[in-house]
Amino acid sequence: MIMEKTKREGSVIFSEYKRGEGIKAALGKKREDILLELRESKIKGRGGAGFPTATKWMVVAASTAEIKYVICNADEGEPGTFKDRVLLVDYPELVFDGMVIAGYTIGASRGIVYLRGEYEYVRKPLEDYLESMRKDNLLGNNILGKDGFDFDITIRMGSGAYICGEETALIESLEGNRGEARNKPPYPVNTGFFGRPTVVNNVETLAAVSHILVKGGDWFRQHGTDKSTGSKLFSISGDCEKPGVYELPWGTKLSEILFLVGAKNTKAIQVGGASGICLNKTQFDRTLAYEDAATGGSIMIFNESRNMIHILKNFMEFFVEESCGQCTPCRIGNVKLLEGVKMIQSGEYTFDYIEKLIDLGRTMQVASKCGLGQSSPNPFISILENFKDEIFNGNGGYNG
Amino acid sequence: MDSRKDYRAPLSQQPLTIEKPTDLTAIGGTITVEINEKKVVVPLGTTILDACKMAGISIPTLCHHEDLCIAGVCRICVVEVEGMRTLQASCAFPITAPIKIKTSTPMVRKARRHIIDLMLSEHYGECYSCVRNGNCELQNLAKEYGVDGYTFGHVDKPRYEIDRSSYAVIRDMSKCILCKRCVRTCIDLQEVGVLESIGRGDMTHISTFLEKPLSDVICINCGQCINRCPTAALRANDPSDEIWRAIDDPKKHVVIQTAPSPRAAICEEFGMEAGTSLTQELNTALKRIGFDKVFDTNFTADLTIIEEGTELIIRLYKALVGKDASVSLPQFTSCSPGWVKYLEHYYPEYLDNLSSAKSPQQMFGSLIKTFYAQKNGVNPEDIVSVALMPCSAKKFECNRPEMADSGYKDVDYGLTTREMAKMIKEAGINLPEMPKSHFDDPFGEASGAGLIFGATGGVMEAAIRTIVEFITGAKAEDIFANANVVDVRGFDGIKYMEIPLGDKFGPVPGLIAHLVPNWDWLKGATLKVAVAHGTANAKKVMDDIKAGGKFSECHFIEFMACPGGCLGGGGQPIPTTPEIRMKRAQAIYAEDESLELRKSHENPHITKIYEEFLTEGPCSHLSHKLLHTHYVKRGKYII
Ligand SMILES: Cc1cc2nc3c(=O)[nH]c(=O)nc-3n(C[C@H](O)[C@H](O)[C@H](O)COP(=O)(O)O)c2cc1C
Ligand code: SF4
Ligand code: SF4
Ligand code: SF4
Ligand code: SF4
Ligand code: FES
């Protein structure tokens, strides 16, 4: 892999930034002011859950615990996302600076990058990058001459389980345990890595923070919508001419995206990866935003040649395999949903039973222990709802 | 139990690290929550489940267990919390804010029903052919929620092969609902760590190191996992069919010994409150079932005290007077086969510290097929010797190859309290209504010292009553009020006691007069003893000994593998809770107190057996042959 920086276009994340700039700006401020700046920006987490970053940091900053941690969630396991990889490969300064800023703000001296197992090949360049930061005193002791501010970053590898992207399962995995989600509350901000207050942020969230420190919360807020500020990296894949990573402001319409990437005859868009929702043509004027169609970045485009029940089967197989197997609704529920999909494929089903499965999906959404089981019924429910004509009427249910 | 402070289980299964307020009257010490529109004041950090209990509202649970740390995995206990999008597992949710809770909304009821339906869809088994029929938490829930069909289907083939490799525990994972209670029991409560879930998603199942059969891993057979399994996925290896066959065979002379703990707990299997001893009713029932003789294990418990106590005196004498550096001290008790195997695996370098005395069960085994057979003119070959025990590890113990000193297999079958209850019911007997009767000769009734072996600290208390009388010549009653050695009683994880021996000694009792000349060598000495129950506590003591801490200076330490001692054994009635174990202990101590005879060495049958049979006295050649044993260095890798 050639680590050559590709110049990309974008108004926030891909805008001009020089290594260390954000750190410098942060070290010149009081911690409270950084938190206020973040609050001003109204930035929410880019990893999927959309939790306000300022609030998260404030809880940890307020804790009197002596040891705290910053974890960068670079597990990027959601099918159809690859924007964190772009950031790590082409813009590591944004991510690492963001971690240092977080460390300074919350009072942590150790940062950990939890890197997706499949990204092993970027590990070495990243290690080298960290080494160069150490040389320039952007990591290490008394960073940039700031007395008493010590911070360093280590990289730890994931091993390929989707669930280990969930922040508490990630922490379990870092501690050397089986990757299983913890009970929440308590949240990592109280009881995180080895029981210590911990900030877990997505790669992109940390990258955005670096910009905010330099350019201000006001500037950030000028992008996007009122409730979804800033812009977002979208990993766009599927049936289109120009798949890839795009930076677009929140509030962009799906139809605009289709145009941008040269998608033709589009039948369906899966927003938010396997755990997201699938929209049909009548819904393409919806906007990408936390308050409308939310996504951690994944957008998959399917054209008329695709079979929706096949797509759904693929998603459900993913969840049957990737559930950590800990809690009943998710472990067995996904199996039942997949069975339902197969029944539909073979034509041997009753509407009554499919209704029951949709109902079960609704239970999974509220009763599962973590986000995986809570969102895995999304494609099932949305595809059966939004494509019912194709699935149930097109062939009398038979889609062999 | 206060040993629950340090957990080893993953943090995912740990309670919130929030300190529970000690002063509830302080500001912030309590919180007012609303449960089903009713206000309840609870201490900060209380779980929703406990708060509901306090408010008299019942919430179904499956993965939750009072003895174990939180898992929050079955999700059956979900409730609605106002303002939260998802339902919350009440067992795992610590209250830190004045929340509003609803426990029976349509969403909650539907979710619970779905969860039961899902579990049943993957649960292989029919209740009428299941050992847990009538005492199964899954079955109860299905009943409570009116399940009358399989909404999401039902498996008709087992998914996993049944693991019957262990003498003690049978694993039928097709019945497992993955509540992980066994995992938490084994790794956290017992700190053995045999079981863990492996595989992901639909492939998740509970298994062992490298998926080996249970007999090939470091399982100590304690059966604590069985006692906490809500279903029949874990059960004891039940020999009752073979016992029935022996009873029905007129050529066989079938005898049974009964240990004190089953007698104090079997009432629970007959719908009675915990804590009623049915010893003498049981004697009658066993005769009616067809056992030829019923003996009291307490007799060999008394014998154990004499043998083990003598062994301790010999060790002390050799160490203090003979300055023999090869003597291993402290001496460890050896009557808990779970503990013995634990030591063999985890601390094999300490095998010499184990008393060589057999457990009461095995002592009885060798005496029945020798002394009793001779005395009563029965051919030992025709004797089938059964032991009613609170314990699953006893099943393993009687099958240890070295346990054949009588020339035959000393004890043929270890039978648990649960299995005994089943046999009694099968015979159409209502145990609590049985008339009372006595144990059979030549062993008769035993002392209260043997009886209290059933509770943690009991062996130590029995030993102290005897040793102190042996040495000081004074009466135990004059040293300890009512001869109750309260310092070693109770459910504290680890207990420690010092007994200054002073300088007034009695004559050396005749029984051991040939072993030590006098007691002068103990002048001014202080006897240091300790008691640990549950292998997690045993581990703490052992690690302290290894590090040369205070327990390394003890002379004698009692270890029991099971929390609470034998009364909490892996063969005891299910369920088990701290409260139930407490009641069983009370029953045992009350029975001890009601007896005239409360010291092992005063048991006339003991005196008689040393006069008639073990004529060379304790720890002599014959007693070594029949009543003592040796151990195996196992280590953690089993080849
Ligand atoms: C099943 C599952 C997988 C997840 N995978 C990721 C991931 O790969 N990367 C990520 O940043 N967040 C992932 N998350 C979200 C994290 O749990 C967490 O919310 C996020 O890292 C917080 O960072 P943010 O606030 O910056 O978004 C996942 C969540 C779930 C439930
Ligand atoms: S919802 Fe799924 S992934 Fe999450 S804890 Fe439950 S079984 Fe594991
Ligand atoms: S484990 Fe319980 S539910 Fe399952 S068959 Fe046995 S009694 Fe029935
Ligand atoms: S019997 Fe004891 S040691 Fe063996 S698996 Fe069960 S709890 Fe663990
Ligand atoms: S074996 Fe029993 S205790 Fe263990 S997880 Fe399965 S059902 Fe639960
Ligand atoms: S009892 Fe609460 S989740 Fe199982």
Side-chain angles (χ1 to χ4, degrees):
Chain A
M1 177 86 191
I2 308 149
M3 304 287 286
E4 190 184 303
K5 186 155 173 160
T6 331
K7 190 70 201 134
R8 290 171 190 272
E9 307 262 311
S11 51
V12 178
I13 298 284
F14 293 147
S15 69
E16 210 51 55
Y17 182 83
K18 276 196 230 49
R19 189 183 76 163
E21 241 184 324
I23 302 180
K24 228 170 281 157
L27 296 184
K29 288 184 192 218
K30 288 213 297 265
R31 296 187 157 107
E32 302 82 78
D33 294 335
I34 300 177
L35 292 169
L36 289 178
E37 193 75 58
L38 281 185
R39 199 166 70 180
E40 277 298 292
S41 76
K42 294 195 359 205
I43 180 173
K44 291 183 189 165
R46 264 46 180 164
F51 191 79
T53 307
T55 314
K56 191 183 274 188
W57 288 23
M58 275 177 195
V59 178
V60 181
S63 158
T64 53
E66 233 168 71
I67 301 179
K68 303 172 187 179
Y69 294 100
V70 175
I71 293 176
C72 169
N73 187 345
D75 195 51
E76 194 159 50
E78 188 66 53
T81 28
F82 37 90
K83 46 105 188 166
D84 291 345
R85 184 187 63 196
V86 166
L87 282 174
L88 289 165
V89 171
D90 290 344
Y91 301 86
E93 66 277 12
L94 285 173
V95 184
F96 293 145
D97 283 6
M99 290 179 76
V100 178
I101 295 166
Y104 174 69
T105 312
I106 63 162
S109 56
R110 189 161 164 219
I112 303 166
V113 178
Y114 188 88
L115 188 61
R116 176 183 167 116
E118 289 85 342
Y119 293 173
E120 175 73 43
Y121 69 94
V122 287
R123 180 176 190 162
K124 175 77 175 70
L126 289 179
E127 297 276 15
D128 293 346
Y129 196 88
L130 289 173
E131 203 42 53
S132 77
M133 284 178 75
R134 278 179 205 116
K135 274 205 195 91
D136 297 340
N137 194 218
L138 291 167
L139 286 176
N141 294 345
N142 305 324
I143 290 175
L144 294 183
K146 185 86 183 173
D147 252 2
F149 175 48
D150 307 340
F151 190 81
D152 211 331
I153 296 173
T154 41
I155 298 175
R156 297 274 302 270
M157 299 307 294
S159 316
Y162 171 57
I163 183 60
C164 288
E166 197 280 335
E167 51 188 2
T168 60
L170 183 155
I171 291 172
E172 284 290 314
S173 157
L174 276 181
E175 289 182 8
N177 298 324
R178 196 180 141 80
E180 288 182 344
R182 294 176 174 177
N183 292 303
K184 292 192 270 189
Y187 298 91
V189 285
N190 296 315
T191 311
F193 185 50
F194 285 115
R196 307 255 162 62
T198 304
V199 157
V200 183
N201 272 132
N202 174 252
V203 170
E204 188 186 344
T205 314
L206 292 163
V209 164
S210 296
H211 282 296
I212 293 172
L213 259 286
V214 177
K215 296 164 194 159
D218 268 346
W219 164 83
F220 187 80
R221 228 172 8 163
Q222 282 159 18
H223 305 85
T225 72
D226 194 31
K227 284 190 178 134
S228 312
T229 57
S231 65
K232 177 85 187 80
L233 299 191
F234 296 103
S235 318
I236 304 175
S237 62
D239 298 320
C240 63
E241 281 161 13
K242 292 175 279 181
V245 173
Y246 291 79
E247 177 177 350
L248 298 167
W250 282 118
T252 304
K253 275 196 168 71
L254 285 168
S255 51
E256 293 172 60
I257 292 217
L258 293 178
F259 180 75
L260 194 67
V261 300
K264 306 228 167 58
N265 292 329
T266 304
K267 174 161 78 174
I269 308 179
Q270 176 81 11
V271 183
S275 59
I277 49 169
C278 198
L279 301 177
N280 66 22
K281 271 186 196 141
T282 65
Q283 297 157 310
F284 291 173
D285 58 348
R286 285 180 63 175
T287 58
L288 292 161
Y290 293 108
E291 63 273 23
D292 190 357
T295 170
S298 165
I299 293 182
M300 295 185 223
I301 301 171
F302 302 106
N303 69 19
E304 293 292 353
S305 73
R306 306 291 165 179
N307 180 321
M308 293 317 291
I309 202 79
H310 279 176
I311 292 169
L312 176 57
K313 181 169 171 233
N314 193 293
F315 288 147
M316 294 324 295
E317 279 170 348
F318 174 77
F319 289 120
V320 166
E321 215 168 279
E322 291 297 336
S323 152
C324 82
Q326 190 183 187
C327 74
T328 319
C330 170
R331 180 185 66 247
I332 313 180
N334 282 313
V335 172
K336 293 298 150 189
L337 299 191
L338 176 61
E339 272 174 23
V341 174
K342 288 180 182 160
M343 285 176 180
I344 296 174
Q345 277 190 316
S346 69
E348 284 174 31
Y349 66 95
T350 60
F351 284 113
D352 183 51
Y353 188 64
I354 299 301
E355 275 308 317
K356 278 194 178 130
L357 288 180
I358 289 179
D359 214 25
L360 171 66
R362 299 228 158 83
T363 288
M364 292 163 65
Q365 287 175 327
V366 293
S368 295
K369 182 166 175 174
C370 84
L372 193 155
Q374 288 164 9
S375 56
S376 65
N378 292 347
F380 186 86
I381 295 175
S382 62
I383 288 179
L384 292 191
E385 174 61 33
N386 293 338
F387 299 89
K388 48 163 130 24
D389 284 350
E390 171 184 333
I391 290 170
F392 297 112
N393 300 336
N395 269 329
Y398 184 72
N399 278 278
Chain B
M1 246 180 302
D2 47 12
S3 62
R4 286 183 53 193
K5 270 175 213 128
D6 2 294
Y7 290 90
R8 280 203 348 160
L11 262 172
S12 65
Q13 298 168 7
Q14 292 186 14
L16 181 57
T17 44
I18 186 167
E19 281 293 321
K20 290 258 175 84
T22 38
D23 180 8
L24 291 185
T25 56
I27 298 171
T30 57
I31 266 185
T32 308
V33 291
E34 230 179 87
I35 308 178
N36 300 343
E37 270 143 36
K38 210 171 103 191
K39 285 204 162 50
V40 191
V41 184
V42 298
L44 187 77
T46 307
T47 60
I48 293 180
L49 181 66
D50 287 340
C52 289
K53 246 181 235 162
M54 290 158 96
I57 293 163
S58 96
I59 307 262
T61 55
L62 262 179
C63 66
H64 179 76
H65 193 284
E66 261 186 81
D67 287 332
L68 305 174
C69 56
I70 291 166
V73 295
C74 73
R75 313 304 287 176
I76 195 74
C77 67
V78 288
V79 296
E80 259 185 68
V81 174
E82 199 180 276
M84 300 191 89
R85 183 184 65 84
T86 55
L87 301 175
Q88 300 299 319
S90 59
C91 68
F93 192 106
I95 297 171
T96 53
I99 49 175
K100 292 186 179 150
I101 302 154
K102 291 222 166 74
T103 66
S104 180
T105 64
M107 205 205 292
V108 166
R109 283 195 304 271
K110 183 179 276 177
R112 289 186 187 155
R113 181 64 198 263
H114 270 143
I115 288 164
I116 299 170
D117 283 337
L118 287 178
M119 282 178 179
L120 293 181
S121 79
E122 294 223 321
H123 182 79
Y124 174 73
E126 306 294 349
C127 297
Y128 41 76
S129 60
C130 181
V131 283
R132 290 295 291 273
N133 191 0
N135 185 17
C136 167
E137 293 178 46
L138 182 60
Q139 190 187 47
N140 288 349
L141 269 181
K143 185 174 160 204
E144 203 175 313
Y145 281 79
V147 174
D148 56 1
Y150 297 121
T151 312
F152 300 114
H154 185 56
V155 281
D156 55 1
K157 276 194 249 357
R159 191 162 170 188
Y160 303 98
E161 205 178 316
I162 299 179
D163 177 1
R164 299 176 190 274
S165 64
S166 159
Y167 284 117
V169 184
I170 293 182
R171 300 173 62 242
D172 181 359
M173 288 303 108
S174 305
K175 282 186 177 157
C176 172
I177 54 167
L178 284 166
C179 68
K180 295 210 203 185
R181 282 189 190 172
C182 55
V183 175
R184 285 173 285 150
T185 302
C186 197
I187 192 169
D188 181 45
L189 187 74
Q190 290 292 71
E191 295 206 16
V192 182
V194 167
L195 304 171
E196 180 50 297
S197 38
I198 71 160
R200 226 190 305 153
D202 184 39
M203 306 300 283
T204 310
H205 61 287
I206 309 291
S207 194
T208 57
F209 182 61
L210 297 179
E211 302 226 53
K212 290 186 184 193
L214 203 57
S215 57
D216 290 357
V217 293
I218 53 172
C219 169
I220 62 166
N221 304 307
C222 67
Q224 291 302 310
C225 51
I226 302 178
N227 285 13
R228 287 170 185 79
C229 179
T231 69
L234 296 172
R235 59 180 204 262
N237 201 343
D238 180 358
S240 55
D241 281 348
E242 285 137 89
I243 295 171
W244 278 124
R245 222 171 293 140
I247 288 175
D248 294 341
D249 183 345
K251 285 203 295 295
K252 294 289 180 204
H253 184 75
V254 189
V255 303
I256 185 167
Q257 51 167 312
T258 72
S261 291
R263 300 173 340 209
I266 199 165
C267 63
E268 296 161 34
E269 292 282 345
F270 291 86
M272 292 170 74
E273 252 311 276
T276 318
S277 272
L278 293 177
T279 309
Q280 295 194 320
E281 290 83 349
L282 189 61
N283 288 347
T284 314
L286 294 178
K287 284 293 183 48
R288 292 203 186 167
I289 283 181
F291 286 98
D292 295 299
K293 296 279 173 176
V294 183
F295 300 132
D296 186 353
T297 306
N298 296 351
F299 167 75
T300 35
D302 284 337
L303 197 58
T304 300
I305 289 301
I306 305 298
E307 292 289 333
E308 207 165 272
T310 306
E311 185 185 351
L312 177 65
I313 289 167
I314 296 174
R315 284 193 198 216
L316 290 174
Y317 186 66
K318 276 193 191 155
L320 296 177
V321 180
K323 305 281 177 221
D324 181 347
S326 71
V327 175
S328 300
L329 281 170
Q331 176 175 305
F332 302 155
T333 61
S334 59
C335 32
S336 162
W339 150 248
V340 168
K341 191 155 185 271
Y342 180 78
L343 192 79
E344 288 174 331
H345 282 305
Y346 276 82
Y347 301 93
E349 67 275 27
Y350 284 92
L351 286 189
D352 289 342
N353 294 64
L354 269 181
S355 161
S356 63
K358 283 182 185 171
S359 70
Q361 159 176 297
Q362 292 307 130
M363 283 196 183
F364 225 135
S366 26
L367 286 181
I368 285 170
K369 293 197 180 174
T370 53
F371 172 70
Y372 167 78
Q374 276 167 32
K375 207 173 158 91
N376 287 41
V378 195
N379 182 354
E381 218 176 285
D382 294 333
I383 297 180
V384 175
S385 177
V386 180
L388 169 60
M389 292 289 147
C391 181
S392 49
K394 294 276 173 197
K395 293 172 186 286
F396 169 81
E397 186 186 30
C398 75
N399 280 299
R400 290 177 72 119
E402 61 271 25
M403 294 297 178
D405 293 323
S406 61
Y408 305 88
K409 189 179 173 196
D410 290 338
V411 171
D412 292 285
Y413 303 110
L415 190 71
T416 65
T417 314
R418 296 189 295 269
E419 291 149 4
M420 187 81 259
K422 193 191 75 181
M423 287 183 75
I424 293 173
K425 286 178 188 163
E426 206 175 340
I429 293 170
N430 186 10
L431 180 65
E433 284 172 7
M434 282 290 104
K436 299 182 180 206
S437 61
H438 289 287
F439 286 104
D440 286 311
D441 284 336
F443 305 109
E445 247 74 19
S447 80
L451 186 79
I452 57 174
F453 264 53
T456 161
V459 178
M460 189 52 71
E461 178 164 353
I464 290 172
R465 286 181 194 168
T466 290
I467 293 176
V468 166
E469 286 201 4
F470 272 14
I471 296 175
T472 64
K475 285 275 151 201
E477 296 84 313
D478 299 333
I479 302 170
F480 308 103
N482 219 3
N484 293 339
V485 189
V486 287
D487 286 9
V488 293
R489 292 189 182 184
F491 285 159
D492 282 353
I494 300 169
K495 292 160 277 186
Y496 175 80
M497 186 184 184
E498 294 187 357
I499 306 161
L501 294 174
D503 47 15
K504 280 206 220 63
F505 298 127
V508 177
L511 204 55
I512 54 171
H514 59 293
L515 296 170
V516 284
N518 55 48
W519 299 116
D520 291 346
W521 51 282
L522 282 174
K523 236 185 200 116
T526 296
L527 192 64
K528 294 178 185 168
V529 301
V531 175
H533 62 116
T535 36
N537 292 313
K539 180 173 188 292
K540 286 194 194 111
V541 172
M542 287 308 300
D543 288 343
D544 179 83
I545 291 176
K546 257 185 141 162
K550 105 173 168 186
F551 294 109
S552 65
E553 284 167 19
C554 280
H555 302 110
F556 192 29
I557 306 184
E558 174 201 303
F559 289 101
M560 293 287 159
C562 294
C566 305
L567 55 85
Q572 290 283 64
I574 298 170
T576 180
T577 64
E579 192 194 336
I580 290 175
R581 293 194 292 275
M582 189 68 77
K583 286 189 178 150
R584 291 176 190 161
Q586 280 161 1
I588 287 175
Y589 284 119
E591 202 177 334
D592 165 46
E593 202 119 15
S594 75
L595 294 177
E596 277 294 306
L597 181 62
R598 296 181 61 209
K599 282 167 266 177
S600 302
H601 57 285
E602 289 177 354
N603 180 346
H605 299 281
I606 291 287
T607 325
K608 213 152 127 204
I609 200 165
Y610 282 112
E611 280 166 14
E612 288 181 11
F613 186 66
L614 303 164
T615 46
E616 293 163 53
C619 295
S620 65
H621 178 71
L622 184 60
S623 97
H624 260 287
K625 179 174 175 327
L626 291 179
L627 307 181
H628 290 250
T629 185
H630 56 272
Y631 306 101
V632 184
K633 267 200 167 71
R634 291 181 201 268
K636 287 191 202 160
Y637 299 94
I638 295 167
I639 308 135

